[in-house]
């Protein structure tokens, strides 16, 4: 498989993922999210092959801009992303390639059936309003800053833990990284949907190799624990800064989840000492 394929798959995953957050039709949005999860699995399938064959690959990819006026444009955007992946896959009888091609062809057929959707997309309107909540400017500004920073952090963690999970052989470590990936996906989805409602949805910047690659698993886990502690503090500070009871409960809920993340990372650290 081509090395460029990994980058194209990464882009396709993110394009479907953030398109799923952008649309107001949540039933269709959840379907797009499910499709993005299939593309994420494709990405991990290919990554495992590259690791086993010692083929160099990178999670670095071009910046991805989003700008849709209608849900039909979203369908076109996603279909074009999948067409690029499909063009780089060879139908040569390989079971994995065949599986991925079959998935892509089915998903593309469902997207093409949605090309005429006329529903407006408001995820880029910069309305800065959230579910009718009344927020003071100070609270709103703190929330906007937090959402941009944390959506990047959660995306970064998905990349970091995905890479780590692929190269470790310890079953429990792999389980821990999977839990952390799933938790980061939930956090990213939560933050990105809030961004879409406020009209400020954007794909996070690229994660560089220097961030997700590591020479020492022990050092990686120690740094990860400190990062989770930092995330806890950011959630706590935001809960205090945003003077809205419902939002404060939500960010405290996220904050308390970070406690368990730290426990898991500490368990992983003990296993590699």
């Amino acid at each position: 498989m081509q090395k460029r394929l990994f980058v194209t798959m990464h882009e396709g995953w993110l394009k479907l993922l953030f398109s799923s957050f952008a649309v107001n039709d949540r039933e269709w949005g959840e379907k797009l999210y499910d499709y993005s999860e299939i593309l994420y699995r494709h990405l991990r399938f290919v990554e495992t092959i590259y690791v086993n064959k010692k083929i160099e690959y990178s999670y670095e990819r071009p910046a991805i801009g989003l700008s849709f006026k209608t849900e039909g444009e979203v369908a076109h955007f996603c279909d074009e992303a999948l067409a690029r992946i499909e063009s780089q896959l060879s139908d040569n009888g390989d079971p994995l390639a065949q599986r991925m091609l079959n998935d892509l062809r089915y998903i593309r057929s469902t997207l093409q059936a949605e090309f005429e959707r006329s529903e407006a997309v408001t995820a880029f309107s910069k309305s800065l309003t959230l579910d009718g909540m009344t927020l003071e400017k100070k609270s709103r500004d703190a929330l906007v800053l937090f959402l941009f920073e944390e959506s990047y952090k959660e995306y970064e963690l998905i990349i970091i833990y995905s890479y780590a999970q692929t190269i470790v052989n310890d079953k429990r470590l792999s389980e821990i990284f999977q839990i952390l990936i799933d938790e980061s996906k939930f956090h990213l989805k939560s933050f990105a949907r809030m961004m879409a409602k406020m009209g400020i949805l954007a794909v996070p910047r690229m994660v560089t190799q220097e961030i997700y690659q590591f020479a020492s698993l022990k050092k990686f886990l120690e740094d990860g624990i400190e990062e989770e502690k930092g995330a806890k503090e950011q959630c706590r500070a935001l809960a205090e800064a945003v003077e809205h009871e419902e939002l404060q409960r939500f960010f405290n809920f996220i904050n308390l989840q970070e406690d368990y993340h730290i426990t898991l990372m500490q368990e992983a650290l003990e296993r590699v000492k």
Side-chain angles (χ1 to χ4, degrees):
M1 291 183 180
Q2 308 167 42
K3 290 169 65 175
R4 177 64 190 170
L5 176 63
F6 192 82
V7 177
T8 308
M9 284 183 157
H10 187 178
E11 291 181 81
W13 163 52
L14 289 176
K15 286 177 178 179
L16 261 72
L17 180 64
F18 278 81
S19 292
S20 80
F21 303 142
V23 298
N24 292 325
D25 181 336
R26 294 316 305 150
E27 182 177 356
W28 192 49
E30 287 303 311
K31 184 176 288 188
L32 290 174
Y33 184 83
D34 289 342
Y35 292 159
S36 77
E37 285 286 271
I38 291 173
L39 292 184
Y40 173 77
R41 288 197 290 277
H42 289 186
L43 189 70
R44 302 302 307 283
F45 293 156
V46 172
E47 183 174 21
T48 299
I49 290 173
Y50 286 178
V51 168
N52 290 339
K53 293 186 175 181
K54 296 182 170 52
I55 298 171
E56 289 186 12
Y57 67 96
S58 174
Y59 271 101
E60 295 185 359
R61 42 80 185 172
I64 298 172
L66 302 177
S67 179
F68 316 122
K69 292 182 179 178
T70 68
E71 292 184 355
E73 291 179 20
V74 174
H76 276 284
F77 177 75
C78 293
D79 182 62
E80 289 168 4
L82 300 195
R84 289 187 60 218
I85 300 172
E86 188 176 343
S87 70
Q88 294 180 22
L89 282 169
S90 299
D91 192 355
N92 56 7
D94 175 74
L96 176 56
Q98 192 60 58
R99 152 68 195 271
M100 294 190 293
L101 281 167
N102 288 339
D103 287 350
L104 292 172
R105 288 164 183 162
Y106 171 74
I107 295 170
R108 290 191 66 198
S109 72
T110 68
L111 290 170
Q112 290 163 11
E114 307 294 345
F115 280 176
E116 301 306 314
R117 277 180 172 265
S118 59
E119 295 87 342
V121 173
T122 58
F124 318 108
S125 66
K126 296 184 173 61
S127 67
L128 299 180
T129 58
L130 180 62
D131 292 336
M133 297 179 186
T134 301
L135 296 174
E136 297 295 330
K137 184 178 184 303
K138 181 180 177 182
S139 295
R140 187 189 65 200
D141 291 348
L143 176 59
V144 168
L145 178 62
F146 174 86
L147 290 174
F148 274 103
E149 290 182 349
E150 290 302 291
S151 62
Y152 169 77
K153 191 213 79 170
E154 297 298 348
Y155 165 62
E156 177 189 86
L157 289 177
I158 293 168
I159 298 304
I160 289 171
Y161 295 140
S162 295
Y163 177 81
Q165 186 187 44
T166 304
I167 65 173
V168 299
N169 295 318
D170 183 297
K171 182 175 181 293
R172 178 55 182 162
L173 285 180
S174 181
E175 289 173 349
I176 288 171
F177 290 137
Q178 187 60 56
I179 293 168
L180 294 170
I181 290 167
D182 292 341
E183 295 274 84
S184 288
K185 284 182 177 179
F186 168 69
H187 291 178
L188 177 59
K189 183 178 184 180
S190 299
F191 299 150
R193 280 298 299 146
M194 293 174 74
M195 293 173 78
K197 290 177 181 179
M198 297 179 74
I200 55 172
L201 182 65
V203 178
R205 65 187 181 276
M206 179 186 73
V207 179
T208 63
Q209 284 187 321
E210 292 79 11
I211 292 174
Y212 67 84
Q213 288 186 345
F214 54 86
S216 166
L217 182 56
K218 178 175 177 290
K219 178 70 163 53
F220 164 75
L221 291 168
E222 289 171 341
D223 291 345
I225 290 168
E226 291 306 309
E227 186 164 354
E228 291 289 356
K229 289 179 179 178
K232 269 185 60 64
E233 177 57 28
Q234 283 184 304
C235 274
R236 185 202 60 77
L238 180 65
E240 291 182 359
V242 177
E243 297 176 353
H244 191 283
E245 185 178 351
E246 183 179 343
L247 287 174
Q248 287 178 337
R249 286 199 306 271
F250 172 72
F251 289 116
N252 282 328
F253 156 68
I254 296 293
N255 189 19
L256 292 172
Q257 289 190 339
E258 302 288 358
D259 284 337
Y260 187 57
H261 296 177
I262 292 169
T263 299
L264 287 170
M265 296 289 280
Q266 288 171 335
E267 177 189 343
L269 182 59
E270 289 300 314
R271 295 186 70 87
V272 301
K273 280 184 176 179

